[in-house]
Amino acid sequence: MTESEIYRLLESLQREEPQTTLTETHISWVFLQPEFAYKVKKSLAFSFLDFSSPQKRFAALQAELRLNRRLASEVYLEVVGIVPVSGGFKWCKIDDCSQSPIDHALKMKRLDNSREMHVLLEAGKVTPADVQKIARKVARFHREADVLKDEAHLPREGDLFRDIRSVASKLEDLHIPNARPIIENAIIHSDDVWNSFGSLIARRHELGMTVDGHGDLHSRNIFLLEDPVIFDCIEFDSQLRILDVLSDLAFLASDFVVFGFPEYIDVLLDAYSGIHPVISSQKERDLFAYYLWYRLNVRLKVTALKMNPSDSVSESDRRQLMVLWQTFTDWQRQCVPSGGTL
């Protein structure tokens, strides 16, 4: 749908439900109503995704529904059609549309925003018991997930780490001094650490530790209810979702470092291992530390990409960037080549 059609759809929905609002991400439009949310993919294409046609967007929404129902079946309800009506557009169930849909949306149940985990972490209201519930749910999910043992799906975080180079100049424009040489040094260190783990990574891969996981397992994608709801896995690139279970866990662990609760990392790993043991040596714990550093790398890169140095960057956004930068550079000291010392 075009942007003008999106706003015509909004007007149509507001006539029936005045509380309907519209928000957007870099790849989707999201219509919010009191009980439900409807996500419409934007018509765009990047190197890592292609939503350039209605057929491709429909396929992506179907994949998003299928993959996210693995962890949040009560939230991800169905894919609906969008059809024109007099004066605008409306939703229709796929099997009941009066004409061929011009596009589609993913219908989801809305949850209580006050229970978003990142909000509760910032307020200091996440408890060890909360972390244990999440760990056990993720452990059961990983234990039942599809295992990939072919060479094409060997973990490649070491290669992906280098992409932080793409935002080095931008970080300097955002007033982080010497970002480029610091990042180049980090990449050299990352290569040394990652290569030293080669045999361990391959052995874990052979043992079935590479799974079709979540890929974006951080606190903004978790609602802390009695039964935690984990949502919004990566659907557009399976290579970012197929990973060692330690890499999936490390994304959430990076939140504990950033928000000032590093002691929760052990709580997470202990509760997880009680259901799905995945760490049996200090070398594997060191590998986990590297995966956490990689996840800090991803968070820093994504945050930088969202900022425009030519615009006025808010003080809170600048603080967030500086915290991520400091955490990323500090955590490098936790990552030691296998068998080596700093």
Side-chain angles (χ1 to χ4, degrees):
M1 296 181 74
T2 64
E3 186 169 342
S4 63
E5 289 173 331
I6 286 291
Y7 281 97
R8 286 174 58 201
L9 172 57
L10 175 63
E11 292 172 0
S12 300
L13 296 173
Q14 287 176 332
R15 285 195 288 270
E16 295 190 9
E17 174 47 77
Q19 295 184 59
T20 303
T21 59
L22 176 65
T23 186
E24 65 177 302
T25 69
H26 59 297
I27 61 174
S28 299
W29 300 98
V30 183
F31 296 87
L32 300 174
Q33 296 183 329
E35 291 187 54
F36 303 107
Y38 296 82
K39 180 188 291 186
V40 179
K41 300 290 189 187
K42 291 181 178 179
S43 177
L44 43 74
F46 297 126
S47 60
F48 55 92
L49 60 80
D50 185 356
F51 299 156
S52 58
S53 71
Q55 296 77 16
K56 290 176 178 178
R57 293 192 290 276
F58 181 43
L61 289 172
Q62 288 179 309
E64 186 170 354
L65 176 68
R66 175 181 59 82
L67 291 165
N68 280 292
R69 284 181 64 85
R70 298 177 301 168
L71 276 165
S73 59
E74 70 278 26
V75 172
Y76 288 80
L77 303 177
E78 61 180 326
V79 175
V80 298
I82 303 171
V83 295
V85 293
S86 178
F89 301 93
K90 71 172 185 178
W91 312 125
C92 62
K93 285 187 169 290
I94 295 296
D95 295 334
D96 296 331
C97 293
S98 58
Q99 54 187 298
S100 296
I102 65 163
D103 223 315
H104 296 84
L106 178 58
K107 182 179 180 180
M108 299 168 286
K109 179 182 176 181
R110 289 197 68 183
L111 299 176
D112 181 359
N113 289 346
S114 70
R115 300 304 301 170
E116 289 179 284
M117 187 178 181
H118 72 98
V119 173
L120 296 171
L121 272 171
E122 193 166 13
K125 294 182 178 179
V126 174
T127 68
D130 293 326
V131 176
Q132 289 169 339
K133 286 181 182 179
I134 296 166
R136 293 180 187 122
K137 185 160 191 172
V138 175
R140 288 189 290 268
F141 167 63
H142 282 163
R143 191 175 60 186
E144 297 165 7
D146 292 339
V147 173
L148 290 302
K149 291 188 176 183
D150 56 298
E151 186 174 346
H153 290 110
L154 268 168
R156 57 192 186 100
E157 280 82 352
D159 296 329
L160 296 172
F161 189 101
R162 301 187 195 107
D163 195 48
I164 190 69
R165 187 181 278 132
S166 66
V167 297
S169 296
K170 189 172 187 180
L171 288 169
E172 292 191 342
D173 292 340
L174 289 164
H175 307 296
I176 294 181
N178 301 313
R180 280 180 286 187
I182 292 171
I183 282 176
E184 288 304 317
N185 176 70
I187 290 171
I188 292 170
H189 185 66
S190 169
D191 285 346
D192 289 343
V193 175
W194 181 254
N195 291 334
S196 76
F197 284 122
S199 60
L200 175 59
I201 292 165
R203 186 165 70 250
R204 287 179 59 82
H205 188 68
E206 292 168 2
L207 292 172
M209 297 298 181
T210 303
V211 303
D212 190 344
H214 187 282
D216 207 18
L217 185 61
H218 54 76
S219 62
R220 288 183 177 271
N221 289 338
I222 300 174
F223 282 91
L224 275 181
L225 308 181
E226 183 61 30
D227 179 17
V229 175
I230 302 170
F231 65 102
D232 207 18
C233 79
I234 291 179
E235 90 287 346
F236 54 80
D237 187 347
S238 62
Q239 291 298 314
L240 298 177
R241 194 181 65 246
I242 295 173
L243 70 183
D244 188 308
V245 296
L246 291 182
S247 184
D248 228 5
L249 278 177
F251 216 154
L252 181 55
S254 72
D255 268 320
F256 299 148
V257 176
V258 170
F259 282 98
F261 298 95
E263 67 274 15
Y264 282 180
I265 295 175
D266 284 337
V267 177
L268 177 74
L269 293 177
D270 289 347
Y272 182 101
S273 297
I275 290 175
H276 189 37
V278 293
I279 296 180
S280 60
S281 68
Q282 181 58 46
K283 285 187 177 181
E284 286 173 311
R285 185 62 185 252
D286 293 342
L287 177 60
F288 177 78
Y290 175 84
Y291 282 134
L292 197 156
W293 190 33
Y294 164 71
R295 292 302 180 179
L296 291 169
N297 166 316
V298 172
R299 295 168 67 105
L300 177 63
K301 181 178 69 176
V302 170
T303 300
L305 287 171
K306 290 178 180 178
M307 294 183 176
N308 187 347
S310 64
D311 294 338
S312 177
V313 178
S314 71
E315 187 58 34
S316 62
D317 286 345
R318 191 177 302 281
R319 268 198 315 271
Q320 179 189 19
L321 182 67
M322 291 306 301
V323 167
L324 286 173
W325 173 255
Q326 192 64 54
T327 308
F328 170 73
T329 54
D330 287 350
W331 196 260
Q332 178 172 337
R333 293 194 291 271
Q334 303 291 328
C335 300
V336 184
S338 178
T341 58
L342 283 178

mmCIF file of all heavy atoms in Angstrom, residues 60-84:
data_model
loop_
_atom_site.group_PDB
_atom_site.id
_atom_site.type_symbol
_atom_site.label_atom_id
_atom_site.label_comp_id
_atom_site.label_asym_id
_atom_site.label_seq_id
_atom_site.Cartn_x
_atom_site.Cartn_y
_atom_site.Cartn_z
ATOM 1 N N ALA A 60 5.600 -12.865 3.697
ATOM 2 C CA ALA A 60 6.350 -12.470 4.890
ATOM 3 C C ALA A 60 5.451 -12.461 6.121
ATOM 4 O O ALA A 60 5.864 -12.887 7.214
ATOM 5 C CB ALA A 60 6.976 -11.099 4.679
ATOM 6 N N LEU A 61 4.219 -11.999 5.974
ATOM 7 C CA LEU A 61 3.282 -11.982 7.099
ATOM 8 C C LEU A 61 2.908 -13.401 7.519
ATOM 9 O O LEU A 61 2.786 -13.692 8.719
ATOM 10 C CB LEU A 61 2.027 -11.198 6.729
ATOM 11 C CG LEU A 61 2.209 -9.686 6.593
ATOM 12 C CD1 LEU A 61 0.948 -9.041 6.023
ATOM 13 C CD2 LEU A 61 2.559 -9.055 7.930
ATOM 14 N N GLN A 62 2.728 -14.279 6.554
ATOM 15 C CA GLN A 62 2.433 -15.671 6.890
ATOM 16 C C GLN A 62 3.592 -16.303 7.652
ATOM 17 O O GLN A 62 3.382 -17.050 8.618
ATOM 18 C CB GLN A 62 2.132 -16.465 5.613
ATOM 19 C CG GLN A 62 0.788 -16.139 4.981
ATOM 20 C CD GLN A 62 0.551 -16.944 3.715
ATOM 21 O OE1 GLN A 62 1.390 -16.978 2.811
ATOM 22 N NE2 GLN A 62 -0.585 -17.608 3.634
ATOM 23 N N ALA A 63 4.819 -16.005 7.213
ATOM 24 C CA ALA A 63 5.991 -16.526 7.918
ATOM 25 C C ALA A 63 6.067 -15.951 9.323
ATOM 26 O O ALA A 63 6.381 -16.664 10.287
ATOM 27 C CB ALA A 63 7.260 -16.189 7.130
ATOM 28 N N GLU A 64 5.791 -14.652 9.466
ATOM 29 C CA GLU A 64 5.832 -14.018 10.785
ATOM 30 C C GLU A 64 4.810 -14.646 11.722
ATOM 31 O O GLU A 64 5.091 -14.884 12.905
ATOM 32 C CB GLU A 64 5.584 -12.518 10.645
ATOM 33 C CG GLU A 64 5.754 -11.749 11.936
ATOM 34 C CD GLU A 64 5.735 -10.244 11.743
ATOM 35 O OE1 GLU A 64 5.694 -9.795 10.578
ATOM 36 O OE2 GLU A 64 5.767 -9.528 12.764
ATOM 37 N N LEU A 65 3.613 -14.924 11.195
ATOM 38 C CA LEU A 65 2.578 -15.575 12.003
ATOM 39 C C LEU A 65 3.030 -16.960 12.444
ATOM 40 O O LEU A 65 2.968 -17.306 13.630
ATOM 41 C CB LEU A 65 1.287 -15.678 11.187
ATOM 42 C CG LEU A 65 0.124 -16.425 11.834
ATOM 43 C CD1 LEU A 65 -0.417 -15.650 13.030
ATOM 44 C CD2 LEU A 65 -0.998 -16.672 10.808
ATOM 45 N N ARG A 66 3.505 -17.752 11.503
ATOM 46 C CA ARG A 66 3.912 -19.131 11.812
ATOM 47 C C ARG A 66 5.066 -19.168 12.814
ATOM 48 O O ARG A 66 5.013 -19.910 13.806
ATOM 49 C CB ARG A 66 4.323 -19.840 10.516
ATOM 50 C CG ARG A 66 4.885 -21.244 10.720
ATOM 51 C CD ARG A 66 5.283 -21.881 9.400
ATOM 52 N NE ARG A 66 6.275 -21.119 8.677
ATOM 53 C CZ ARG A 66 7.581 -21.165 8.921
ATOM 54 N NH1 ARG A 66 8.050 -21.938 9.900
ATOM 55 N NH2 ARG A 66 8.434 -20.450 8.193
ATOM 56 N N LEU A 67 6.069 -18.361 12.600
ATOM 57 C CA LEU A 67 7.257 -18.410 13.447
ATOM 58 C C LEU A 67 6.977 -17.879 14.854
ATOM 59 O O LEU A 67 7.466 -18.430 15.844
ATOM 60 C CB LEU A 67 8.390 -17.614 12.804
ATOM 61 C CG LEU A 67 8.975 -18.245 11.532
ATOM 62 C CD1 LEU A 67 9.810 -17.232 10.763
ATOM 63 C CD2 LEU A 67 9.803 -19.472 11.866
ATOM 64 N N ASN A 68 6.196 -16.824 14.952
ATOM 65 C CA ASN A 68 5.946 -16.247 16.271
ATOM 66 C C ASN A 68 4.915 -17.011 17.081
ATOM 67 O O ASN A 68 4.901 -16.901 18.312
ATOM 68 C CB ASN A 68 5.542 -14.774 16.129
ATOM 69 C CG ASN A 68 6.726 -13.871 15.915
ATOM 70 O OD1 ASN A 68 7.555 -13.684 16.797
ATOM 71 N ND2 ASN A 68 6.838 -13.314 14.715
ATOM 72 N N ARG A 69 4.095 -17.797 16.422
ATOM 73 C CA ARG A 69 3.154 -18.631 17.176
ATOM 74 C C ARG A 69 3.879 -19.729 17.944
ATOM 75 O O ARG A 69 3.306 -20.335 18.850
ATOM 76 C CB ARG A 69 2.099 -19.230 16.240
ATOM 77 C CG ARG A 69 1.039 -18.206 15.812
ATOM 78 C CD ARG A 69 -0.010 -18.808 14.895
ATOM 79 N NE ARG A 69 -0.783 -19.842 15.590
ATOM 80 C CZ ARG A 69 -1.850 -19.596 16.355
ATOM 81 N NH1 ARG A 69 -2.264 -18.349 16.526
ATOM 82 N NH2 ARG A 69 -2.503 -20.573 16.930
ATOM 83 N N ARG A 70 5.151 -19.970 17.630
ATOM 84 C CA ARG A 70 5.920 -20.948 18.399
ATOM 85 C C ARG A 70 6.050 -20.519 19.856
ATOM 86 O O ARG A 70 6.092 -21.361 20.762
ATOM 87 C CB ARG A 70 7.322 -21.122 17.797
ATOM 88 C CG ARG A 70 7.345 -21.655 16.369
ATOM 89 C CD ARG A 70 8.764 -21.716 15.825
ATOM 90 N NE ARG A 70 9.410 -20.406 15.824
ATOM 91 C CZ ARG A 70 10.718 -20.213 15.610
ATOM 92 N NH1 ARG A 70 11.512 -21.247 15.372
ATOM 93 N NH2 ARG A 70 11.225 -18.998 15.614
ATOM 94 N N LEU A 71 6.118 -19.220 20.103
ATOM 95 C CA LEU A 71 6.311 -18.706 21.459
ATOM 96 C C LEU A 71 5.126 -17.879 21.963
ATOM 97 O O LEU A 71 5.004 -17.660 23.168
ATOM 98 C CB LEU A 71 7.571 -17.840 21.529
ATOM 99 C CG LEU A 71 8.887 -18.595 21.729
ATOM 100 C CD1 LEU A 71 10.072 -17.706 21.411
ATOM 101 C CD2 LEU A 71 8.999 -19.130 23.152
ATOM 102 N N ALA A 72 4.290 -17.372 21.054
ATOM 103 C CA ALA A 72 3.218 -16.458 21.474
ATOM 104 C C ALA A 72 1.954 -16.705 20.654
ATOM 105 O O ALA A 72 1.426 -15.793 20.004
ATOM 106 C CB ALA A 72 3.681 -15.012 21.331
ATOM 107 N N SER A 73 1.447 -17.917 20.703
ATOM 108 C CA SER A 73 0.268 -18.259 19.906
ATOM 109 C C SER A 73 -0.961 -17.468 20.329
ATOM 110 O O SER A 73 -1.870 -17.243 19.531
ATOM 111 C CB SER A 73 -0.023 -19.760 20.000
ATOM 112 O OG SER A 73 -0.246 -20.143 21.344
ATOM 113 N N GLU A 74 -0.990 -17.015 21.596
ATOM 114 C CA GLU A 74 -2.141 -16.264 22.080
ATOM 115 C C GLU A 74 -2.134 -14.815 21.592
ATOM 116 O O GLU A 74 -3.151 -14.119 21.669
ATOM 117 C CB GLU A 74 -2.182 -16.288 23.610
ATOM 118 C CG GLU A 74 -1.101 -15.485 24.307
ATOM 119 C CD GLU A 74 0.242 -16.192 24.448
ATOM 120 O OE1 GLU A 74 0.559 -17.081 23.627
ATOM 121 O OE2 GLU A 74 0.991 -15.847 25.376
ATOM 122 N N VAL A 75 -1.004 -14.361 21.063
ATOM 123 C CA VAL A 75 -0.874 -12.978 20.588
ATOM 124 C C VAL A 75 -1.013 -12.901 19.075
ATOM 125 O O VAL A 75 -1.689 -12.012 18.547
ATOM 126 C CB VAL A 75 0.485 -12.386 21.027
ATOM 127 C CG1 VAL A 75 0.723 -11.018 20.376
ATOM 128 C CG2 VAL A 75 0.537 -12.269 22.542
ATOM 129 N N TYR A 76 -0.395 -13.817 18.368
ATOM 130 C CA TYR A 76 -0.399 -13.805 16.905
ATOM 131 C C TYR A 76 -1.620 -14.572 16.418
ATOM 132 O O TYR A 76 -1.676 -15.801 16.500
ATOM 133 C CB TYR A 76 0.900 -14.404 16.369
ATOM 134 C CG TYR A 76 2.074 -13.477 16.590
ATOM 135 C CD1 TYR A 76 2.704 -13.390 17.831
ATOM 136 C CD2 TYR A 76 2.523 -12.633 15.581
ATOM 137 C CE1 TYR A 76 3.757 -12.505 18.052
ATOM 138 C CE2 TYR A 76 3.573 -11.756 15.783
ATOM 139 C CZ TYR A 76 4.182 -11.697 17.023
ATOM 140 O OH TYR A 76 5.213 -10.814 17.227
ATOM 141 N N LEU A 77 -2.617 -13.842 15.899
ATOM 142 C CA LEU A 77 -3.935 -14.422 15.653
ATOM 143 C C LEU A 77 -4.136 -14.897 14.219
ATOM 144 O O LEU A 77 -4.473 -16.046 13.979
ATOM 145 C CB LEU A 77 -5.009 -13.397 16.037
ATOM 146 C CG LEU A 77 -4.935 -12.908 17.491
ATOM 147 C CD1 LEU A 77 -5.999 -11.846 17.758
ATOM 148 C CD2 LEU A 77 -5.069 -14.071 18.472
ATOM 149 N N GLU A 78 -3.949 -14.012 13.248
ATOM 150 C CA GLU A 78 -4.193 -14.395 11.850
ATOM 151 C C GLU A 78 -3.695 -13.310 10.916
ATOM 152 O O GLU A 78 -3.436 -12.176 11.328
ATOM 153 C CB GLU A 78 -5.704 -14.614 11.613
ATOM 154 C CG GLU A 78 -6.533 -13.365 11.874
ATOM 155 C CD GLU A 78 -8.015 -13.587 11.638
ATOM 156 O OE1 GLU A 78 -8.365 -14.380 10.727
ATOM 157 O OE2 GLU A 78 -8.833 -12.964 12.344
ATOM 158 N N VAL A 79 -3.578 -13.674 9.643
ATOM 159 C CA VAL A 79 -3.324 -12.699 8.584
ATOM 160 C C VAL A 79 -4.665 -12.353 7.955
ATOM 161 O O VAL A 79 -5.445 -13.246 7.619
ATOM 162 C CB VAL A 79 -2.352 -13.249 7.529
ATOM 163 C CG1 VAL A 79 -2.190 -12.255 6.369
ATOM 164 C CG2 VAL A 79 -0.985 -13.551 8.144
ATOM 165 N N VAL A 80 -4.955 -11.049 7.833
ATOM 166 C CA VAL A 80 -6.219 -10.610 7.244
ATOM 167 C C VAL A 80 -5.950 -9.846 5.959
ATOM 168 O O VAL A 80 -4.841 -9.348 5.722
ATOM 169 C CB VAL A 80 -7.014 -9.715 8.232
ATOM 170 C CG1 VAL A 80 -7.360 -10.496 9.491
ATOM 171 C CG2 VAL A 80 -6.233 -8.449 8.580
ATOM 172 N N GLY A 81 -6.985 -9.760 5.120
ATOM 173 C CA GLY A 81 -6.872 -9.018 3.877
ATOM 174 C C GLY A 81 -7.283 -7.567 4.054
ATOM 175 O O GLY A 81 -7.960 -7.201 5.017
ATOM 176 N N ILE A 82 -6.871 -6.729 3.109
ATOM 177 C CA ILE A 82 -7.284 -5.325 3.054
ATOM 178 C C ILE A 82 -7.947 -5.112 1.697
ATOM 179 O O ILE A 82 -7.320 -5.332 0.650
ATOM 180 C CB ILE A 82 -6.084 -4.374 3.206
ATOM 181 C CG1 ILE A 82 -5.338 -4.647 4.518
ATOM 182 C CG2 ILE A 82 -6.548 -2.911 3.149
ATOM 183 C CD1 ILE A 82 -4.008 -3.898 4.638
ATOM 184 N N VAL A 83 -9.224 -4.715 1.729
ATOM 185 C CA VAL A 83 -9.967 -4.537 0.475
ATOM 186 C C VAL A 83 -10.558 -3.128 0.431
ATOM 187 O O VAL A 83 -10.867 -2.529 1.465
ATOM 188 C CB VAL A 83 -11.095 -5.576 0.333
ATOM 189 C CG1 VAL A 83 -10.513 -6.986 0.213
ATOM 190 C CG2 VAL A 83 -12.065 -5.500 1.507
ATOM 191 N N PRO A 84 -10.705 -2.579 -0.790
ATOM 192 C CA PRO A 84 -11.311 -1.250 -0.919
ATOM 193 C C PRO A 84 -12.821 -1.296 -0.692
ATOM 194 O O PRO A 84 -13.491 -2.263 -1.055
ATOM 195 C CB PRO A 84 -10.976 -0.850 -2.359
ATOM 196 C CG PRO A 84 -10.734 -2.130 -3.085
ATOM 197 C CD PRO A 84 -10.216 -3.102 -2.072
#
